[in-house]
Amino acid sequence: MGTRGALPSLMDLHVWASTTAEERRALEESEGSGRVRALYAKYNAGDWVTDQLTEVCSSIRSRLASLPRLGAEGLERMCSEWEAAWASWVPVAKER
């Protein structure tokens, strides 16, 4: 599986689960190539991970609603910073 480290990321796992057998061979043989980047764009890996992050932050926010206001504001700021950082990093898929 095309991974950037010793362990696959959630994005890697999403793409691997979405691909065909032929595409998996390409991932294994062409790590870091344009073909791999194209597969990540094809399966909207960046959007998928962004959705996962949004869902987690939403869940955390709803659970913290009962905490004192100062604690909830601090977590809100942290989640907003994570989301902004992620949004600036995720490559935008080009139209096919």
Side-chain angles (χ1 to χ4, degrees):
M1 180 183 325
T3 62
R4 289 170 295 286
L7 295 174
S9 69
L10 287 176
M11 192 181 306
D12 295 328
L13 294 172
H14 167 71
V15 170
W16 186 259
S18 302
T19 56
T20 64
E22 179 183 337
E23 290 169 333
R24 287 180 182 170
R25 279 191 297 280
L27 286 171
E28 289 173 335
E29 295 170 0
S30 311
E31 186 172 344
S33 73
R35 170 89 168 133
V36 171
R37 288 190 299 275
L39 288 172
Y40 276 64
K42 175 181 178 182
Y43 292 106
N44 296 315
D47 290 343
W48 180 82
V49 172
T50 299
D51 291 346
Q52 301 306 304
L53 176 63
T54 300
E55 187 176 325
V56 167
C57 284
S58 176
S59 177
I60 290 170
R61 287 175 179 129
S62 68
R63 291 175 191 266
L64 287 175
S66 62
L67 291 179
R69 185 168 171 77
L70 184 60
E73 285 176 358
L75 188 62
E76 174 63 33
R77 187 173 49 253
M78 182 178 66
C79 283
S80 294
E81 288 171 5
W82 285 349
E83 291 167 339
W86 178 256
S88 69
W89 179 82
V90 173
V92 177
K94 295 183 180 177
E95 289 186 28
R96 294 178 210 122

